[in-house]
Amino acid sequence: MIQPRTLKGFRDHLPAQALVRERVLDVARRVYRSYGFAPIDTPALEYLEILTGKGSEETDKQLYRFTDHGGREVGMRFDLTVPFARFAAQHVNELGLPFKRYHMATVWRGENTQRGRYREFMQCDFDAIGTTSPVADLEMVLVVHDLLVAIGIERFKVRVNDRRVLAGVLGRLGLAERATGVLRSLDKLGKATAEAVAAELEGQGVAGPAVATLLEMVALAGPADEVLGRLHDMAGDGPGTAGVESLRGIVAGAAAAGVPVGRVVVDPGIARGLDYYTGIVLESFLDDLPGLGSICSGGRYDDLAGLYTKQPLPGVGASLGIDRLLAGLEELGRGGGPETPADVFLAYFGPAHLADYLKIAAALRRAGLAVEFFPEARKLGQQLKLASKRGFPAALVIGGDEFQAGTAQLKNMASQDSTIIAWHGDADALAAAVRVALGRPGSPARTSG
RNA sequence: GUGGUUGUAGCUCAGUUGGUUAGAGCACCGGUUUGUGGUACCGGGGGUCGCGGGUUCGAGUCCCGUCAGCCACCCCA
């Protein structure tokens, strides 16, 4: 016997989790589309040269790579941004600019695992390229906000900052050359203590007063107006000011779009390790699980596809880490749920009325209800027990007695109540009555979005 | 990748200073006169103690390796 097992960092998804997962994906799809982002897809495998050298040296190490049957050097995508850059360079002429796309797909990274960190996971990216408009920046924030709200999360924060502000401050401190290292150290503040970060900065050769200024900057918190005012003072004139003004626009725009005050927070501590960001950067955290890390991050970049085309493609985008979010929801006790996607369990009493059951099931489906018709004529008690375990909201019991009387028994599995429906052989009438009983009157919902 | 920690039935765990056929609760299957579920009672299936070596008369219990989970570093979703 071969032992059934899965690779480190790779997982199976059982129905209860897979249903939550698909629900979140549906929500993300709906929200992205509601802003006009169009779906795209790209291959899981790319030529190795497409993937290497684009990310950091770190991603090169984590890359799953091999030689295919045709002797080609290939790699599995480790994010959706690099394939999108290739895609954009290859298809700009067909796409037209600006172009907004979303892409929800699996990516692979051969790094060490941890809760919420896997070797195979899914990202839900959305980007707008070919525009430097502040509106595009604002939309990113709005999408992230709408997305988390639509998923059903109330307690979260979208933290925004602007690389130009950081650059301005670093420039005044004479640290422009060492920006990457300094930002990386500052990025640790959430986890490490201020003392540790200060020590690390000094280790990099940053002077004491500069360290103090940096720590003061990243510790800024409170009303956006005050934070931005202080940042303005610290960043001085030039690009730093542009960054501050841009953030001011984000805060004002979010308010205008109806985002509750306090949901979008200006946080000078958000730096993002990735060094290709040039403008706004954003991360989002669950209030109840700050240690989980950012579940949706992104920012603005000057040029997406410089490695693949001469045409400059500035853009702004972000990515929802659905697997990390799901790990968080589960930890918050929101991972459980029904194990079936169906609305109605139709019990089976035997072949005598098989044709009738099939008609009834078909009518229910026409009415927009998902039905599981049990394929075995087991004892009714067993069937109901299974239906209950699976989390069906309702069960339809129609045996010899019911067919005789022209009725049906609709059981509410949660409350154990049952109602008798008279249908007299009219399956569509029965389906309509079931719809009403399940609290979904009217015509079947049209599937859109 | 580095360091630490854990690994006994589907799940949560017990398993005495290494010693006869490895236990419990929940879950699962069946039954309590054959059309009604989450409660009660009865019965049942299921574990080569992650895997592989080693020490020993004898290892779930000690040692090494390996695989996997978790935590920290790193990086990030």
Side-chain angles (χ1 to χ4, degrees):
Chain A
M1 287 272 267
I2 297 168
Q3 189 190 8
R5 57 191 186 141
T6 47
L7 286 164
K8 179 185 179 74
F10 291 69
R11 315 110 80 216
D12 290 323
H13 302 281
L14 274 61
Q17 310 156 340
L19 281 168
V20 177
R21 186 184 169 82
E22 289 201 4
R23 204 199 103 241
V24 172
L25 287 172
D26 285 343
V27 169
R29 199 186 332 268
R30 203 182 71 230
V31 171
Y32 294 161
R33 290 183 175 212
S34 77
Y35 280 79
F37 291 84
I40 70 162
D41 200 8
T42 68
L45 289 182
E46 296 274 359
Y47 279 101
L48 193 59
E49 65 192 36
I50 299 286
L51 299 177
T52 52
K54 176 58 185 85
S56 58
E57 57 200 61
E58 196 65 27
T59 51
D60 281 6
K61 281 185 201 164
Q62 301 175 351
L63 193 64
Y64 280 98
R65 60 174 79 188
F66 57 93
T67 306
D68 75 2
H69 295 357
R72 286 170 284 257
E73 292 297 312
V74 301
M76 297 171 82
R77 63 181 173 218
F78 55 84
D79 71 6
L80 299 179
T81 303
V82 172
F84 180 46
R86 191 224 85 222
F87 173 98
Q90 204 169 324
H91 302 293
V92 243
N93 296 329
E94 305 154 63
L95 299 172
L97 296 175
F99 173 64
K100 294 161 74 172
R101 72 91 229 232
Y102 70 89
H103 190 186
M104 308 195 296
T106 306
V107 302
W108 296 268
R109 292 181 196 176
E111 68 173 330
N112 239 337
T113 57
Q114 229 170 91
R115 170 155 282 266
R117 294 179 67 159
Y118 312 100
R119 291 186 168 174
E120 176 182 69
F121 59 99
M122 189 172 260
Q123 291 191 321
C124 306
D125 275 34
F126 54 102
D127 287 79
I129 58 168
T131 174
T132 55
S133 166
V135 177
D137 291 26
L138 174 61
E139 271 200 350
M140 288 299 129
V141 176
L142 297 180
V143 170
V144 171
H145 173 265
D146 286 7
L147 182 55
L148 295 178
V149 168
I151 288 168
I153 302 166
E154 301 91 32
R155 296 171 49 71
F156 71 90
K157 298 278 186 300
V158 180
R159 300 185 172 277
V160 299
N161 190 19
D162 195 297
R163 270 293 172 83
R164 287 168 293 179
V165 176
L166 295 170
V169 174
L170 290 177
R172 289 186 85 186
L173 295 173
L175 295 171
E177 305 295 316
R178 270 173 286 194
T180 302
V182 170
L183 292 181
R184 196 158 286 169
S185 298
L186 289 177
D187 208 38
K188 293 177 187 168
L189 257 185
K191 292 182 175 180
T193 63
E195 291 74 24
V197 172
E200 190 172 317
L201 286 171
E202 283 169 14
Q204 291 183 35
V206 179
V211 169
T213 304
L214 288 173
L215 289 180
E216 186 197 342
M217 176 186 73
V218 297
L220 287 177
D225 281 350
E226 294 175 19
V227 173
L228 288 168
R230 286 291 299 132
L231 281 177
H232 181 84
D233 296 341
M234 298 175 85
D237 296 328
T241 302
V244 172
E245 289 316 309
S246 174
L247 287 173
R248 222 182 277 284
I250 295 292
V251 171
V259 174
V261 176
R263 274 273 177 66
V264 175
V265 181
V266 174
D267 182 349
I270 298 296
R272 309 282 300 141
L274 285 65
D275 47 13
Y276 53 77
Y277 289 121
T278 54
I280 183 175
V281 287
L282 68 91
E283 297 194 345
S284 44
F285 299 86
L286 303 184
D287 290 354
D288 299 316
L289 290 174
L292 189 67
S294 173
I295 52 174
C296 195
S297 319
R300 170 164 284 284
Y301 39 84
D302 268 347
D303 191 12
L304 175 73
L307 285 175
Y308 315 109
T309 176
K310 288 180 180 172
Q311 180 167 355
L313 290 173
V316 58
S319 180
L320 169 72
I322 186 176
D323 288 291
R324 176 173 291 182
L325 170 63
L326 257 26
L329 291 179
E330 195 162 336
E331 197 167 329
L332 292 175
R334 293 180 45 183
E339 294 168 25
T340 177
D343 307 299
V344 178
F345 179 93
L346 179 57
Y348 185 39
F349 284 79
H353 287 281
L354 177 56
D356 292 313
Y357 289 121
L358 294 174
K359 275 180 199 158
I360 291 165
L364 287 167
R365 293 183 184 120
R366 272 198 302 279
L369 294 169
V371 189
E372 178 166 336
F373 174 40
F374 202 65
E376 298 192 22
R378 286 192 199 156
K379 289 211 265 185
L380 184 59
Q382 290 178 36
Q383 294 191 46
L384 291 175
K385 191 175 173 186
L386 186 69
S388 175
K389 173 186 180 296
R390 291 274 166 80
F392 281 88
L396 204 46
V397 177
I398 311 172
D401 299 346
E402 283 83 0
F403 279 114
Q404 186 97 34
T407 62
Q409 183 189 167
L410 182 67
K411 295 179 73 77
N412 178 322
M413 297 308 282
S415 68
Q416 295 199 73
D417 296 334
S418 48
T419 55
I420 304 300
I421 297 171
W423 58 294
H424 305 298
D426 183 344
D428 286 311
L430 174 58
V434 170
R435 271 192 73 86
V436 172
L438 293 183
R440 282 195 256 167
S443 57
R446 193 132 307 187
T447 47
S448 68

